[in-house]
Amino acid sequence: MTDLLKNAVATGFENLFGYAPEVVWSAPGRVNLIGEHTDYNEGFVFPFAINRHTFAAVALRTDAVVRVASAFAPGVIEIELSEISRETASGWSAYPLGVAWALLQKVEGGSVQGFDLYIESDVPVGAGLSSSAAIECSVAVALNDLWELGLSQRELARVGQLAENEIVGAPTGIMDQSASLLGKLDHGVFLDCRSLEAEVIDLGFAREGLELLIIDTKVEHRHADGGYASRRAACEAGASALGLRSLREAGLADLPRAAELLDDVTFRRVRHVVTENERVLQTVAALRERGPRAIGELLYSSHESMRDDFEISVDELDTAVETALRHGAIGARMTGGGFGGAAIALCPIEKISEISRSVTAEFALLGYAKPDVFVVSAAPGARRED
Ligand code: GLA
């Protein structure tokens, strides 16, 4: 699949623009194992890059024009580099154009050339697997090379986030881009979103005969919509009422005080973030000390916390999680921003087909859309394809 897409993107570029691209770059989507809505609270996250990728074929131009096109949307978008803004960039092209814009903020005084870009991707859109971060990071590594900016992966993650916050208009955190840039085969990326220090941790799934199942509910979510932003606002309000810079500074011991000071809804939002940070640390410790079979309960507590305290789950996600657990999953939870998208289930390999079948049957019984159920594995991060 990877080689097919890599070749297809180069051919697609050539067919459209009439000449061959300089090189192809790729960046993976990500799945978050645990640590949800903690990134913008300067907390801990533990995602991994997955074996689904965006491929970007790029070539520099001699003028300052940018042309972007993709296999998944018709037409070519053409714009002067200096004219990229939230008003001029829309739809999927806001991601690559946003990255060019964010990188330009880093080019002090210098000018850079425009470029032609063509994209193909097999990261499912709207599933909570960061198809958007995969686009951003493939373009970020490409332009970092072509414009010879020398930015580190950490700086490029920030560039992707800036593109998404400023040009796309979604107030998301730094997790998705970090996972897409820093991923490593069979490893998770344990990231401290305050210091941006990252450590890759051996997941050990294959060794233990486990696989991670994605259950894409097909319930669409968009982070530019209100739910995500309102959760973020509640966290900020909670932190400021507690006199803290961010909820990262709150621990379990602060919860009784928070319960007294905050209204019920804000308190539950805060409790989710505080306990979720704790669960990330416990997951990393459990993986190190006891292996992946020991993390099941933490995954499910995370789901309960998102369902009951943060209130970002939907019936389809709850059904996916409960059904997977009933049929032998070790742990399961919704993943990503919420309000739709996907659930994950950590499953013994021999149970995968039973769990997939049962979830699909349960969805049919309840009259839900047919879910997309597939296995992902932890893959290396964004890179130049040679
Ligand atoms: C989305 C955002 C991330 C993060 C998650 C929730 O994926 O893009 O920054 O906030 O939601 O954990």
Side-chain angles (χ1 to χ4, degrees), residues 13 16-23 25 57-69 76-81 84 97 100 111-118 142-143 146-147:
F13 181 104
L16 192 69
F17 297 122
Y19 67 102
E22 288 183 45
V23 192
W25 286 260
V58 196
L60 286 183
R61 298 168 55 91
T62 49
D63 55 18
V65 168
V66 176
R67 294 190 293 177
V68 299
V76 178
I77 291 117
E78 184 168 333
I79 187 169
E80 288 277 331
L81 263 177
I84 299 171
L97 294 178
S111 66
V112 288
Q113 291 158 267
F115 57 90
D116 288 335
L117 165 80
Y118 186 77
L143 294 179
L146 291 172
W147 285 346

Side-chain angles (χ1 to χ4, degrees), residues 30 32 35-40 45 128 130 132 161 164 171-177 221 223 228 312 333 336-338:
R30 67 97 189 92
N32 192 13
E36 220 66 83
H37 286 264
T38 45
D39 61 350
Y40 56 78
V45 292
S130 286
S132 47
Q161 186 196 13
E164 195 145 336
T172 47
I174 191 93
M175 165 171 70
D176 308 341
Q177 296 81 5
H221 72 292
H223 298 327
Y228 185 95
I312 55 171
R333 60 185 281 277

Side-chain angles (χ1 to χ4, degrees), residues 7-323:
N7 295 335
V9 78
T11 312
F13 181 104
E14 194 159 356
N15 288 344
L16 192 69
F17 297 122
Y19 67 102
E22 288 183 45
V23 192
V24 171
W25 286 260
S26 73
R30 67 97 189 92
V31 66
N32 192 13
L33 192 57
I34 197 160
E36 220 66 83
H37 286 264
T38 45
D39 61 350
Y40 56 78
N41 289 300
E42 300 195 320
F44 301 107
V45 292
F46 190 29
F48 63 83
I50 57 173
N51 53 338
R52 298 287 192 111
H53 295 84
T54 289
F55 288 84
V58 196
L60 286 183
R61 298 168 55 91
T62 49
D63 55 18
V65 168
V66 176
R67 294 190 293 177
V68 299
S70 72
F72 44 81
V76 178
I77 291 117
E78 184 168 333
I79 187 169
E80 288 277 331
L81 263 177
S82 58
E83 286 185 352
I84 299 171
S85 70
R86 190 181 295 194
E87 287 68 43
T88 57
S90 63
W92 79 271
S93 70
Y95 297 101
L97 294 178
V99 166
W101 174 88
L103 283 171
L104 275 180
Q105 317 301 305
K106 306 238 169 210
V107 185
E108 284 155 21
S111 66
V112 288
Q113 291 158 267
F115 57 90
D116 288 335
L117 165 80
Y118 186 77
I119 280 180
E120 289 244 10
S121 182
D122 67 356
V123 186
V125 174
L129 297 177
S130 286
S131 55
S132 47
I135 297 177
E136 288 156 13
C137 295
S138 66
V139 176
V141 287
L143 294 179
N144 188 40
D145 281 356
L146 291 172
W147 285 346
E148 297 177 0
L149 300 176
L151 298 176
S152 66
Q153 304 294 77
R154 206 184 282 189
E155 287 169 304
L156 291 179
R158 178 79 190 109
V159 160
Q161 186 196 13
L162 203 64
E164 195 145 336
N165 293 170
E166 299 301 322
I167 302 298
V168 178
T172 47
I174 191 93
M175 165 171 70
D176 308 341
Q177 296 81 5
S178 304
S180 180
L181 287 157
L182 300 170
K184 186 176 164 200
L185 190 69
D186 295 331
H187 285 66
V189 179
F190 170 42
L191 178 73
D192 177 338
C193 299
R194 182 162 64 185
S195 65
L196 291 189
E197 259 166 51
E199 202 180 336
V200 288
I201 310 276
D202 186 8
L203 293 169
F205 291 172
R207 217 171 33 245
E208 285 288 328
L210 301 176
E211 273 182 332
L212 196 85
L213 200 63
I214 303 286
I215 304 160
D216 177 2
T217 63
K218 300 285 180 170
V219 178
E220 276 204 44
H221 72 292
R222 276 171 30 98
H223 298 327
D225 290 345
Y228 185 95
S230 85
R231 296 306 183 277
R232 185 167 180 158
C235 292
E236 278 158 16
S240 105
L242 293 168
L244 306 173
R245 197 178 91 105
S246 76
L247 288 182
R248 167 61 178 278
E249 288 165 22
L252 295 175
D254 295 304
L255 289 178
R257 184 170 70 96
E260 270 176 31
L261 273 174
L262 306 174
D263 64 84
D264 174 59
V265 170
T266 313
F267 170 66
R268 287 186 293 113
R269 306 298 189 246
V270 169
R271 182 166 61 186
H272 165 71
V273 174
V274 170
T275 55
E276 185 78 350
N277 274 331
E278 196 58 34
R279 282 186 288 271
V280 176
L281 298 178
Q282 286 177 14
T283 301
V284 170
L287 269 178
R288 281 188 169 134
E289 288 153 23
R290 291 177 286 146
R293 285 181 186 264
I295 70 171
E297 274 181 28
L298 290 160
L299 298 182
Y300 186 60
S301 317
S302 168
H303 183 75
E304 289 179 306
S305 179
M306 286 187 284
R307 185 190 60 202
D308 303 335
D309 274 356
F310 221 59
E311 296 180 284
I312 55 171
S313 189
V314 296
D315 291 345
E316 287 84 345
L317 287 167
D318 295 340
T319 299
V321 166
E322 301 298 341
T323 312

